[in-house]
Amino acid sequence: MTTVRSLLFVFWLYGSMTLIGLAYVPAVMLSPDGAFGAMRTWARATLFGLRWICGARVVIEGREHLPEGAGLIALKHQSMLDTILPALLVHRPTFVFKRELSGAPIFGWYLKRAGMVPG
């Protein structure tokens, strides 16, 4: 059953990324804020899928330590969630990302439009 849930979640994760990415294209064309809206929507969809499909709950601790204004937050990148959840925790997060991702369809365009930094 674990394998089936894992496969369903993978389809959910990438399917929701594609649908949300395409749905937000008009908003992203108007403003980079549209890209951040898409990031937050996808993060919520991912958490919903984790709970609904996998039965996993995500607990975020330490929010009180987040800076009010600008700051540097170093994530351990122990899972893919480290790249998704900051959209829910920080107003306009900026990531340093692997340069090869800028060529990915939809995803790469969003990275560029949101002002992320290729590394």
Side-chain angles (χ1 to χ4, degrees), residues 2 5-6 8-10 48-57:
T2 302
R5 284 180 162 194
S6 295
L8 284 173
F9 180 71
V10 167
F48 174 79
L50 275 172
R51 186 162 184 204
W52 180 60
I53 297 167
C54 302
R57 294 176 190 249

Side-chain angles (χ1 to χ4, degrees), residues 39-54:
M39 287 169 55
R40 284 187 290 278
T41 302
W42 184 49
R44 287 186 196 102
T46 301
L47 291 178
F48 174 79
L50 275 172
R51 186 162 184 204
W52 180 60
I53 297 167
C54 302

